[in-house]
Amino acid sequence: MTTEILPIDSLMIDRWTNQWIKQLGFNNEQLLKRNTKVEQFSRFVLDRIQVKKSTDIAKREQLLLETLREYENRLSRTGFESDICEEFENMKLKQKELFIEKKHQELDLKEEKYIKELDQLSQNERSLCQILAATIMDIVTDETLIKRIERLRGYLDELDKLKTERLTTIKSYRIRLNDLIDRLNFKLDNLSTISQLLDENYESCLTTDALGQIESFLIELECKSAEQENYVNALVGKLEKLYAKLTRDDATPPKRSAAYILRHNTAETVKQLENEIAQLQAKRMATSQAYCQSMRKKIEDLYEQCQIGSSERHPIDFDNIIPETLDECDREYDRLDSMYHVRKPILDAFEQWKVLVQQHGEFQKKSTSAARFHERGYSAVKEQAERKRFAVALPKAERACLNILEQWEKEHENEQFLINDIPIRPIIEQQHTGTSNVTTTVSNPPSTISKTVSMSSTALAAIPQRPAAKNNIRKKSLRNIVKQTVEQHVSKSRHDEVDEDTLEFTQLENIKHFNGLPRIVTSTPKTGKNPSSHTVVDMGRNKNNDPIHKRRPSKRLIPTRR
């Protein structure tokens, strides 16, 4: 800063001159010398004053700069926006000092206000974290006051939202708990969290642990309520059976109670139903003797209808009649009744298959016997049709029985379907393969407990042994020769093909005439004095010299296989 030279006023010089002249008695020369010294001293003083002023101004400018920097640091620390206008640079030093001082005071008030708000928010945070058992928000270094307040407000909003949700949840829990506790007649500890919740002391129940305890206790009560509801349904079902039985046995049926009609899931309803069951059972015990005898007969009839052996029967002590005996009779009758509907299709299919097997065995025995040729009305066409019928019907019945049996085995894993303690699948498989020679006992008739039926393929397809041919055959009789030849071919075919289901009539060789011409023996026996004889038809020859030509040939011929 350049110092300006202060002008010396002439009036001041005159005053000094007069003063010096009058007081000191200086002359003009002395006065001039003195003036020069005064001027020098004045200039010296002025220079000192100017130096001091410039020094003070520099210090004030430095202090103003530091104050401005501190103000900016405070703004950056608190996060407030700077409000220094552009006119600040054009202000004088004193105005700048006053302006900065004013801004510092305003910033102090504003910062104090925000610090108080931060303290209040921190206090609310600690309170909510204590209530909700949450963690306090972490402090971030180099975070402004405004940023921390904003982040704390957001965290408090989350805590308030969580608190509101938990309050809504526990209020709904309180309603459900009141209902379940009243329904189950449950006794609570007065110091437990559940008791505080029921007393509407919600703040002590907002923590995560308390909420977990309430939820687990609520689940436990709901499970007990479900069990109680199932128990109520079981009691109602038992009452229904008792009402039905007493109505059937007694002309004056009992009146239904309100607990039975309404069926509320409460402890009081359970007590009422139990008391009602006890009363009905006591009333039922009055006629227990006759009832047990009647049920015993029905159970035994179902045993026979279902063909159940001793291994599948439940023993009941009919000699010691107590309420449990009546219940056992009812349970066994219900079990057998449901079992009958399940077993009946299998029993019917097995019986149908067994009848076909027996009929097929009788047919095999009859079709492999040569005596059928001597029977009246024998027809090879009918025999072949019957064989075809068995070839279709028997596998069909077997497959139908196995299908129903497989469906039952899928529903009853690791179990065998038994008829009087005998599994029927091995019987069907042995009959199918034809490898078993063991007879199986199967019980079916209503009057007797068991009936022995031969189920093996050998027994069902047994072939009777024919007697040996006579040795005293008259060689001159063509009829006896033909008869002996037919019997030999039939016997040979029977012994060679014992396991065959059909008898191939086309395998019989043509009987040749004594002159070498072929003949065919018919299967239809003749009527008359000698019904055992058969008709022989010559093929491709004049029959004038044939002694059998005069006999009337049979119209029924043996069908040939094409």
Side-chain angles (χ1 to χ4, degrees):
M1 180 180 295
T2 59
T3 58
E4 297 179 358
I5 299 174
L6 298 177
I8 300 175
D9 192 4
S10 57
L11 182 61
M12 183 180 67
I13 294 174
D14 292 340
R15 287 178 181 176
W16 285 0
T17 302
N18 294 327
Q19 184 179 0
W20 282 101
I21 292 172
K22 289 179 181 181
Q23 293 181 2
L24 299 177
F26 290 158
N27 55 20
N28 192 19
E29 185 180 357
Q30 290 177 343
L31 181 61
L32 292 175
K33 291 180 180 179
R34 181 65 63 185
N35 289 340
T36 303
K37 290 183 180 179
V38 170
E39 183 180 357
Q40 291 177 354
F41 181 77
S42 299
R43 291 187 182 278
F44 175 75
V45 172
L46 180 62
D47 291 338
R48 288 182 61 182
I49 291 171
Q50 288 177 349
V51 171
K52 184 177 180 181
K53 182 179 180 181
S54 61
T55 303
D56 292 340
I57 290 173
K59 289 181 179 180
R60 288 174 62 187
E61 288 179 350
Q62 182 67 28
L63 183 61
L64 178 63
L65 182 61
E66 292 178 357
T67 306
L68 184 60
R69 289 176 181 175
E70 183 181 358
Y71 180 74
E72 292 176 351
N73 290 333
R74 290 182 65 184
L75 290 178
S76 63
R77 186 176 66 252
T78 56
F80 299 133
E81 295 181 357
S82 177
D83 54 354
I84 298 177
C85 58
E86 296 179 355
E87 298 177 356
F88 178 76
E89 297 295 333
N90 300 325
M91 292 180 182
K92 294 182 179 181
L93 182 60
K94 186 64 176 180
Q95 292 177 347
K96 290 182 178 179
E97 290 176 347
L98 294 175
F99 183 78
I100 292 298
E101 183 67 24
K102 182 179 178 181
K103 291 299 179 183
H104 270 287
Q105 292 177 359
E106 292 177 357
L107 185 59
D108 290 337
L109 295 175
K110 195 173 182 179
E111 187 176 3
E112 183 180 1
K113 178 182 177 181
Y114 275 83
I115 289 174
K116 289 182 179 180
E117 183 180 359
L118 179 62
D119 294 338
Q120 184 64 34
L121 292 175
S122 300
Q123 185 178 359
N124 295 338
E125 178 193 16
R126 288 191 296 271
S127 177
L128 286 174
C129 290
Q130 184 178 3
I131 293 173
L132 301 175
T135 57
I136 298 176
M137 186 181 67
D138 298 333
I139 298 176
V140 180
T141 57
D142 299 335
E143 186 179 21
T144 62
L145 180 63
I146 299 298
K147 186 67 176 176
R148 176 171 175 77
I149 290 175
E150 290 177 356
R151 195 161 63 90
L152 189 56
R153 285 174 180 171
Y155 187 61
L156 287 176
D157 291 339
E158 294 179 0
L159 292 179
D160 288 334
K161 184 178 180 181
L162 180 61
K163 180 180 178 182
T164 304
E165 291 177 354
R166 289 189 179 180
L167 277 173
T168 306
T169 303
I170 63 174
K171 285 180 181 179
S172 63
Y173 286 170
R174 180 179 177 275
I175 297 173
R176 293 169 61 186
L177 284 172
N178 273 328
D179 183 31
L180 290 172
I181 290 172
D182 294 340
R183 188 184 304 172
L184 298 173
N185 195 15
F186 195 84
K187 302 298 182 182
L188 292 173
D189 185 9
N190 295 328
L191 299 178
S192 63
T193 305
I194 310 300
S195 299
Q196 295 178 2
L197 175 61
L198 296 177
D199 294 338
E200 299 184 3
N201 188 8
Y202 296 129
E203 290 189 356
S204 61
C205 305
L206 293 176
T207 61
T208 306
D209 295 337
L211 196 63
Q213 293 178 6
I214 294 171
E215 290 177 350
S216 61
F217 184 73
L218 186 61
I219 293 173
E220 181 182 355
L221 290 184
E222 286 178 348
C223 293
K224 290 183 179 180
S225 177
E227 294 176 358
Q228 181 171 284
E229 185 175 0
N230 294 332
Y231 184 58
V232 168
N233 293 332
L235 292 177
V236 170
K238 193 173 183 180
L239 275 174
E240 289 177 353
K241 294 180 180 178
L242 286 172
Y243 283 135
K245 290 168 184 176
L246 289 174
T247 302
R248 184 183 57 207
D249 299 339
D250 194 355
T252 58
K255 184 179 179 182
R256 270 63 171 172
S257 64
Y260 169 78
I261 296 173
L262 298 177
R263 303 180 184 183
H264 292 305
N265 183 17
T266 60
E268 185 65 25
T269 303
V270 171
K271 292 181 180 179
Q272 293 178 4
L273 293 176
E274 288 176 348
N275 294 333
E276 189 174 356
I277 288 174
Q279 294 175 3
L280 294 179
Q281 285 181 346
K283 184 177 180 180
R284 192 180 174 198
M285 284 298 295
T287 59
S288 59
Q289 189 71 28
Y291 180 77
C292 283
Q293 295 298 328
S294 175
M295 290 299 295
R296 183 174 187 176
K297 185 178 182 306
K298 292 179 181 179
I299 290 172
E300 290 176 353
D301 292 341
L302 284 175
Y303 280 149
E304 294 180 359
Q305 293 177 8
C306 297
Q307 300 188 31
I308 295 177
S310 59
S311 63
E312 296 181 290
R313 300 185 181 187
H314 293 172
I316 300 175
D317 188 9
F318 289 99
D319 297 332
N320 184 18
I321 300 177
I322 55 177
E324 287 74 11
T325 306
L326 302 179
D327 296 337
E328 289 179 4
C329 291
D330 297 336
R331 286 193 296 269
E332 183 68 5
Y333 179 79
D334 295 338
R335 183 181 75 91
L336 294 176
D337 185 60
S338 60
M339 187 182 293
Y340 174 74
H341 296 290
V342 175
R343 292 172 64 93
K344 190 176 186 304
I346 304 177
L347 294 175
D348 293 343
F350 181 73
E351 181 63 25
Q352 184 179 2
W353 172 81
K354 186 177 68 174
V355 170
L356 283 174
V357 169
Q358 291 176 350
Q359 292 177 357
H360 182 256
E362 295 175 358
F363 173 75
Q364 273 191 321
K365 181 178 179 181
K366 185 176 180 180
S367 63
T368 54
S369 175
R372 70 186 188 282
F373 298 117
H374 304 286
E375 295 179 358
R376 188 179 187 89
Y378 171 78
S379 174
V381 177
K382 292 182 178 180
E383 181 178 327
Q384 187 67 14
E386 189 72 8
R387 183 174 288 106
K388 290 181 179 179
R389 184 181 74 85
F390 281 116
V392 174
L394 192 58
K396 183 178 180 181
E398 179 181 336
R399 187 68 259 168
C401 185
L402 288 176
N403 288 338
I404 300 176
L405 189 60
E406 287 174 359
Q407 184 65 29
W408 183 90
E409 289 175 349
K410 287 180 181 179
E411 297 175 358
H412 303 77
E413 296 181 356
N414 300 325
E415 292 186 19
Q416 288 184 335
F417 189 86
L418 306 178
I419 295 181
N420 292 323
D421 296 338
I422 299 174
I424 64 172
R425 177 175 281 278
I427 296 174
I428 300 175
E429 292 176 352
Q430 289 175 6
Q431 176 62 28
H432 179 74
T433 56
T435 57
S436 175
N437 294 323
V438 182
T439 58
T440 308
T441 304
V442 179
S443 173
N444 191 29
S447 58
T448 60
I449 297 178
S450 63
K451 177 181 179 181
T452 304
V453 180
S454 178
M455 288 297 173
S456 64
S457 59
T458 305
L460 292 174
I463 301 175
Q465 300 292 333
R466 288 188 52 79
K470 295 181 180 179
N471 295 325
N472 51 352
I473 302 175
R474 292 178 298 176
K475 296 181 180 180
K476 294 182 180 180
S477 176
L478 180 60
R479 184 179 302 169
N480 292 337
I481 292 173
V482 171
K483 179 178 179 181
Q484 182 180 4
T485 305
V486 172
E487 290 178 353
Q488 289 176 357
H489 280 282
V490 172
S491 178
K492 182 178 180 181
S493 176
R494 177 176 58 83
H495 288 290
D496 292 342
E497 302 176 358
V498 175
D499 296 333
E500 295 293 333
D501 292 338
T502 61
L503 179 62
E504 297 293 341
F505 292 95
T506 58
Q507 293 178 0
L508 297 177
E509 297 181 357
N510 294 332
I511 306 302
K512 293 184 179 180
H513 193 255
F514 59 89
N515 54 6
L517 295 176
R519 295 183 178 181
I520 295 177
V521 181
T522 62
S523 60
T524 304
K526 293 180 60 178
T527 59
K529 296 180 180 179
N530 191 6
S532 62
S533 62
H534 297 266
T535 302
V536 180
V537 180
D538 294 339
M539 301 297 294
R541 177 182 172 86
N542 190 3
K543 306 178 186 61
N544 294 329
N545 297 327
D546 190 356
I548 311 179
H549 175 66
K550 298 179 181 180
R551 305 182 64 87
R552 185 178 179 180
S554 175
K555 295 181 180 180
R556 185 177 295 128
L557 299 178
I558 297 176
T560 59
R561 176 177 294 180
R562 296 181 181 179

